[in-house]
Amino acid sequence: RVSGVREMNRIKTVLLSIMLFVFFLSGCSGSSEQSILFSVGTGDNIRVTLDTSDGLVLKQTESGYAVTSEGTEVIQSFFVEEAVYEQYVSAVREQAGVTVNEEKTAGGLNYICYSYSGEAGQENNVIGWIEGSSTGVVIASLSDLQTVQDALEHLSFTKEQ
């Protein structure tokens, strides 16, 4: 009778161990964000983080990063110093045919989202300044405006030491 109780306790222990193992495995694979740390030309270390819960993917490119959805590039971007950032802002504000869609601060980025018709078609772009940094970011896209804004809402930017 004692050996039956011991056997039952051993089975319970094995089952509990298996349940805990499965729990920890599911917890580890359930990450819903990706991030890349960039050491940019301004001297800043900028972390770009993407909420991937809607299937978006963040990838590093030669000049910065891109966000894709189902294998299709949604946005591509690169980092700029203050002088270049200022040139972009001036062009957005002064150039004929540019439509400013929104000016907003979100995810550590003060940005202007704008549209214009370029050689490749309707472009929906963003020029932004990363809070607390010496770094701007240019985000370019041929995707529709809503897709660009959705991708932007999933991104966040932080300056790290």
Side-chain angles (χ1 to χ4, degrees):
R1 194 149 201 212
V2 171
S3 74
V5 171
R6 284 187 189 148
E7 183 65 23
M8 192 60 102
N9 284 341
R10 191 176 72 73
I11 291 172
K12 286 180 185 178
T13 302
V14 169
L15 287 175
L16 181 61
S17 296
I18 291 171
M19 287 173 28
L20 285 173
F21 180 73
V22 170
F23 173 77
F24 286 122
L25 273 182
S26 66
C28 292
S29 64
S31 177
S32 64
E33 64 181 37
Q34 290 178 295
S35 69
I36 301 173
L37 181 63
F38 295 91
S39 180
V40 297
T42 62
D44 289 336
N45 292 315
I46 302 296
R47 180 171 301 280
V48 178
T49 303
L50 178 70
D51 174 349
T52 59
S53 59
D54 288 341
L56 297 174
V57 176
L58 179 66
K59 65 178 186 176
Q60 189 166 352
T61 63
E62 279 188 36
S63 59
Y65 67 90
V67 174
T68 61
S69 177
E70 298 177 358
T72 301
E73 191 171 275
V74 175
I75 62 174
Q76 57 183 333
S77 78
F78 57 93
F79 300 101
V80 295
E81 61 187 22
E82 187 173 11
V84 176
Y85 167 81
E86 293 296 339
Q87 289 175 340
Y88 270 90
V89 171
S90 293
V92 167
R93 299 215 186 279
E94 298 167 8
Q95 189 171 335
V98 173
T99 302
V100 173
N101 301 306
E102 70 178 343
E103 295 186 47
K104 189 174 177 179
T105 299
L109 188 68
N110 298 311
Y111 67 88
I112 302 170
C113 179
Y114 63 97
S115 302
Y116 74 96
S117 292
E119 290 180 18
Q122 178 73 20
E123 293 189 28
N124 295 297
N125 301 331
V126 174
I127 179 69
W129 192 255
I130 299 165
E131 294 180 319
S133 79
S134 301
T135 305
V137 63
V138 176
I139 299 172
S141 181
L142 293 173
S143 298
D144 65 87
L145 179 59
Q146 188 61 55
T147 301
V148 172
Q149 289 174 322
D150 288 348
L152 195 56
E153 287 176 10
H154 285 76
L155 283 169
S156 63
F157 302 82
T158 52
K159 178 186 174 192
E160 299 202 350
Q161 298 304 321

